[in-house]
Amino acid sequence: MQITSEALERVIEELARLPGTGRKSAQRIAIHLLKQSDERVITLADALIQLKKSVIRCSTCGTITDSDPCSICSNQKRNSGVICVVEEFQDVYIIEKTNEFRGRYHVLGGTISPLDNIGPDDVRIKELLERIAGDDEQIREVILALNPDAEGEATSYYINKLLQNYEVNVTRIAYGIPMGTELEYIDEATLSRAFASRTPF
Amino acid sequence: MQITSEALERVIEELARLPGTGRKSAQRIAIHLLKQSDERVITLADALIQLKKSVIRCSTCGTITDSDPCSICSNQKRNSGVICVVEEFQDVYIIEKTNEFRGRYHVLGGTISPLDNIGPDDVRIKELLERIAGDDEQIREVILALNPDAEGEATSYYINKLLQNYEVNVTRIAYGIPMGTELEYIDEATLSRAFASRTPF
């Protein structure tokens, strides 16, 4: 095979490294870009460069932001007294989409996982305790919204135990039957949880 | 929903414009890039910029190239006497992968399609005739390798008719049963063609 454009080949190689993009889709994207205007492609390249240049972590909640503190932590209309604890900054995105939660976040940056050598000091638990102990935010409720897997559960229990020493309510988001499904498609663990967590009608 | 990083949002938007990339995969790619080193992301951005800066068309065959003439047309080891006519430069890629063809190409840049207002002068047929009439390449055979759809067929017939006035053999790639399939999965049009184009055993 003879390659006529090294520049095209390089773009295909780079795109093929991205998650979910095989060589075939990389090729399709590269050819698409080749047919786009210079401006469009430069806009994309520039957005990528800016991504690495301007994205930092919020020193309060730990989510990604272009300016510190992030727009959520600096938003006076949001309730600083309620903090939602999540594993990763992506979870902030996911929860924000629901428009349900109007408090602030705390991004742990992972979960406690002894098998992976990740202990309590490797995630931002100390920072959470400092926020709760501090006077700035007057935190009254901590909502745990970690993933319902073994590590998420263990981390939730660990945090809950620590928070017993503080004057805050600790709650967790409800785990149960997702809306719009049928019972026959629900796994047993979820169904058991839904029974255990049943609420008054 | 409150966005904490405009830079991330911009990358997601730009990536979501690419073919085969919805907002979800754009988000996954953007988050992946955020976790990569600065160098990796800048390499990708730079490859994109170079793509638009350096890719041109070969003045001989019309395929994309970084330098004119392209590496195929300037390769002395390739047979300049045999030209394979294809619709788009991607087809050059596809045929080169087989390592079967050692001649040169001619990229039409489309097919004749009256319904789309694309006439014979809108694709590079005149350039093909000039190459054949010229003395540089001493072209003896023209292999038509257009797509087997209505436009590809019509364009093949049209070119074949024009080439009757020149001293060249006109051939076309074989259309028939693809290798490795079973007859029961083959559509009738292909099977009919395979019968009509049967070859001595």
Side-chain angles (χ1 to χ4, degrees), chain A residues 1-6 9 14 17 31 34 36 40 52 64 66 71 75 78 90 93 96 99, chain B residues 1-7 9 14 31 34 36 40 52 64 66 71 78 90 93 96 99:
Chain A
M1 175 170 172
Q2 197 160 346
I3 288 158
T4 57
S5 169
E6 293 291 342
E9 199 51 32
E14 287 300 324
R17 290 169 185 266
I31 286 167
L34 203 55
Q36 298 298 301
R40 280 241 53 77
K52 297 302 288 188
I64 56 158
D66 301 338
S71 59
N75 185 342
R78 295 190 71 128
Q90 296 96 295
Y93 253 75
E96 279 299 291
N99 281 319
Chain B
M1 174 170 173
Q2 196 159 346
I3 287 159
T4 57
S5 169
E6 293 291 342
E9 199 51 33
E14 287 299 324
I31 287 167
L34 203 55
Q36 298 296 300
R40 278 242 53 76
K52 298 303 287 188
I64 56 157
D66 301 337
S71 58
R78 296 191 71 128
Q90 296 97 296
Y93 254 74
E96 278 300 290
N99 281 319

Side-chain angles (χ1 to χ4, degrees), chain B residues 72-73 79-80 82-84 101-106 131 137:
Chain B
I72 293 175
C73 287
N79 184 351
S80 70
V82 184
I83 283 196
C84 177
F101 178 66
R102 298 299 299 162
R104 292 186 180 175
Y105 293 91
H106 190 84
R131 284 178 75 178
E137 300 185 282

Side-chain angles (χ1 to χ4, degrees), chain A residues 166-184:
Chain A
Y166 295 81
E167 281 199 1
V168 284
N169 279 326
V170 185
T171 58
R172 66 192 306 172
I173 55 170
Y175 300 99
I177 313 296
M179 304 304 287
T181 51
E182 291 178 41
L183 287 188
E184 67 174 301

Side-chain angles (χ1 to χ4, degrees), chain A residues 6-48:
Chain A
E6 293 291 342
L8 180 68
E9 199 51 32
R10 229 184 103 206
V11 168
I12 294 171
E13 267 171 34
E14 287 300 324
L15 291 173
R17 290 169 185 266
L18 301 178
T21 318
R23 206 183 140 87
K24 277 231 165 171
S25 26
Q27 214 163 317
R28 197 172 64 240
I29 293 173
I31 286 167
H32 166 87
L33 291 173
L34 203 55
K35 291 174 181 166
Q36 298 298 301
S37 70
D38 283 15
E39 288 70 34
R40 280 241 53 77
V41 177
I42 287 167
T43 303
L44 169 59
D46 184 57
L48 294 173

